[in-house]
Amino acid sequence: MKSDISHPGNFNNEDSNHTANPHIDQVLDARLSRRGLLRGAAGAAGAGVLGTTALSGCATSGASGTTGAALTSLGFKPVAKSLADKVVVPEGYSAQIIYALGDPLAAGVPAFKNDGSDTAFEQRAGDHHDGMEWFGLDASGKPSNSFNSRGILAVNHEATTDEKLSSFFIHTNGGASTLPRPASEVDKELAIHGLSFVEVQSSGKQWAYKTSSPFNRRVTTMTTAAIHGPARGSEHLVTKFSTDATQCRGTLNNCGTGKTPWGTFVSGEENWYGYFSRDAKDDDRRKKDKQVQALNRYGRKAGAASRHGWESAGPQDQYVRWNNGALAASAKDDYRNEMNTFGYVVEMDAYDTQAPMRKRTGLGRFAHESVAFAKPVAGQPVVAYMGDDARGEYIYKFVSDAKWDPKDAQPANRLAAGDKYLDKGTLFAARFKDNGSGEWLELSMNNPVIAGSSYFEFKSNADVAIFTRLAADAVGATKMDRPEWGGVNPKTGEVYITLTNNSNRTEANTDAVNPRMYTDMKGSKAQKGNVHGHIVRMADASPAGSAFKWDVYVFGAEADADKAAVNLSSLTDDNDMSAPDGLVFSPATGVCWIQTDDGAYTDKTNCMMLAAIPGKLGDGGARTVKHGDKSVTTYVGKTPTPTTLARFLVGPKGCEITGWCETPDGRAVFVNIQHPGEGTAMADVGNPAKYQSQWPANAGYGAGQRPRSATIVITKNDGGVIGS
Ligand code: FEO
Ligand code: CA
Ligand code: CA
Ligand code: CA
């Protein structure tokens, strides 16, 4: 679903942080006085300590051990903004569609008819392709970090194009838009969410996915997962399905991804809360249960309707689990805690189709996007950065207890390595100060602000893992403009996090790191707040420490906007953008790829992907932005040029560009086109002439005319690395 700033009620733009948490100039000095209690708080305060690290083996997603040619400037001619219903790439490049919604993943599954009659989605590509990672294979099918023509794509299937409850493109006549939903429709919708693993290979000229590969696998809302980390066994995860709270079912609304330094796939569960219903009396039934406060904080007030009405399809367990009410005498007999089993990072081994999914609760529970691992250093903790995508939510960092052993880059048992590094560790939330520095605030019972909190009762680190947002509220983390993906720059070790937009940013609550609020016109419609988003850049003084410095790498803006108040990075027609969301640093080239999920600038251009060669923190300077009588001083990165930031791709109508991975040589890049034609009205499902988009059918891919989310692969016609 489009993260359209003009539709703040939609499920991708949640707004439940009504805490009075401070903006960065209001934080109480009292918090500083207890810094000495926090682990690592004695770290040096300077930035840039990380220094230069090797390019190879470090990306947004960790240590893939690849080698390639680092680019020092972009070599392609920037692509113009486009409203065409097609994928546009630079001159000299080609884009090929290889894997779309409904494509069969096993022998014997019928070809996708794309007319709403298809079934068996447990063995087909899911919907709304999102984050994606590459897991290489050699010619004999063994894991490889150097072979460039065969691999497994691990793909998130975030959501589905819906209106009035129904995922209308996968049902013949658009489906039922009233309750109760038919079980036959709900069964399909349960199966199009989750993950897929699909083998792809190149013939040398063309890429294709393999219909029947032993590596192909679907994970859906019904797949059993093992609960790992501090929340395993918690009373708040007890359900009728797992009365000892060690297991749960499904992964949901998977948005960003990551690749661990030990070679596994991780995926973030984002807007899961919207799939659950709670009836109006549920608060009364729960009496003084502290979860009432948590349910409100996580976007589910009593009386909330679910996005698809799955709970209405029948009395069977697979349907009633979506009713999050306390309906029975005990949590062991109902699904009052089912929502608490979502909102995590899940880890999977892409190479082992039998290995179970693990929910890594140590990384906290919120609207997860990607997981950006810092380059691991022998003898140091493993560090990962994460955003919580909702208006006014926080940026997080996880620091493992275990110290990195380089032998774990090729472990005998990948998920056991995941147990070692992700099940024990500490979560921190970021507080930004107005002088360009910042502090990571510890979220654990070691922090007396958490242990003694009067705001919410934390009894254990399990409670911190499950009610993470409340822990970050309690310590006074900084409310951000919707943190999305993060990536670690292999050249500098600095972390970049996209802040996609924020319709709730007002003049009164602008601060140094979220400094803009303004009005932008989309036709005759006035859009307010931080309409176009920005990308914050942070440098930790030491990987596990609490001190960091920050600036804003780039502000999204329309090229003709006021350079004093809006277009602070002086973007031009070659690189202006709105709503940065996906962000990945290429392991092969070091290029930073930025993808948009926009609804604000879509009167002038469809969503896009840009390539960037960013500098480093502090390469720009301080800027003062005026809002009426108020002035805010921020720190802006060096103004980009067309050889350091340029538009590389524009997608078809109604889509978001998301997901990025590459072959180890950097000569093939895979990207997802999510929800083309999302703006189609459900009433027009039988009328292709009225579809907002007919992609990818209009590019020659597959049957029917209904638009489909799909993976494309981009190559350079001369065989060069992508971005050169
Ligand atoms: Fe799924 Fe916040 O994007
Ligand atoms: Ca989307
Ligand atoms: Ca505009
Ligand atoms: Ca996203």
Side-chain angles (χ1 to χ4, degrees), residues 25-293:
D25 52 352
Q26 302 172 329
V27 174
L28 300 175
D29 288 342
R31 291 211 174 84
L32 292 171
S33 68
R34 55 153 185 79
R35 281 184 58 195
L37 295 167
L38 299 182
R39 189 172 77 170
V49 175
L50 289 170
T52 302
T53 55
L55 249 187
S56 60
C58 182
T60 175
S61 47
S64 55
T66 58
T67 56
L71 289 178
T72 53
S73 91
L74 301 170
F76 60 90
K77 184 176 164 203
V79 164
K81 294 184 280 282
S82 167
L83 291 167
D85 193 25
K86 63 180 184 183
V87 172
V88 184
V89 292
E91 290 170 16
Y93 284 83
S94 299
Q96 185 201 342
I97 301 152
I98 59 167
Y99 177 58
L101 163 69
D103 279 344
L105 286 172
V109 178
F112 192 61
K113 294 203 279 293
N114 194 25
D115 60 3
S117 70
D118 301 276
T119 57
F121 280 93
E122 293 83 358
Q123 294 181 297
R124 298 182 182 278
D127 203 356
H128 281 207
H129 301 37
D130 205 323
M132 177 167 55
E133 300 289 337
W134 168 267
F135 294 89
L137 295 167
D138 67 15
S140 65
K142 297 276 188 307
S144 166
N145 285 332
S146 57
F147 205 68
N148 293 300
S149 59
R150 184 178 180 194
I152 302 161
L153 296 177
V155 183
N156 282 349
H157 296 290
E158 184 185 29
T160 181
T161 302
D162 57 353
E163 185 185 319
K164 297 177 191 161
L165 303 171
S166 181
S167 170
F168 59 92
F169 282 125
I170 63 159
H171 304 310
T172 307
N173 296 312
S177 56
T178 54
L179 298 177
R181 298 288 315 286
S184 60
E185 292 181 6
V186 171
D187 290 346
K188 290 208 245 184
E189 293 173 10
L190 291 172
I192 59 176
H193 292 73
L195 316 171
S196 66
F197 298 84
V198 58
E199 183 180 343
V200 295
Q201 60 182 26
S202 170
S203 65
K205 291 205 158 41
Q206 290 234 302
W207 284 85
Y209 89 94
K210 284 179 75 171
T211 306
S212 59
S213 160
F215 296 105
N216 289 356
R217 181 180 186 181
R218 273 305 314 280
V219 170
T220 75
T221 56
M222 293 299 294
T223 306
T224 298
I227 297 169
H228 274 249
R232 182 179 172 88
S234 164
E235 61 180 307
H236 303 302
L237 299 183
V238 167
T239 63
K240 192 176 171 189
F241 176 72
S242 180
T243 56
D244 65 356
T246 58
Q247 290 192 316
C248 57
R249 275 176 299 185
T251 187
L252 191 56
N253 214 271
N254 301 78
C255 185
T257 52
K259 194 167 176 182
T260 65
W262 49 95
T264 59
F265 176 65
V266 286
S267 170
E269 298 175 338
E270 189 189 7
N271 290 308
W272 36 273
Y273 66 95
Y275 292 75
F276 291 90
S277 72
R278 284 184 73 215
D279 68 58
K281 299 215 167 106
D282 197 44
D283 280 358
D284 297 339
R285 269 190 232 107
R286 288 173 181 264
K287 302 197 174 92
K288 291 197 163 65
D289 186 343
K290 71 183 181 186
Q291 289 207 51
V292 170
Q293 181 186 356

Side-chain angles (χ1 to χ4, degrees), residues 1-3 12 128 130 158 581 597 656 674-675 678:
M1 183 172 286
K2 187 73 65 188
S3 64
N12 270 10
H128 281 207
D130 205 323
E158 184 185 29
D581 184 342
D597 176 14
E656 161 187 352
Q674 188 187 73
H675 60 61
E678 178 189 51

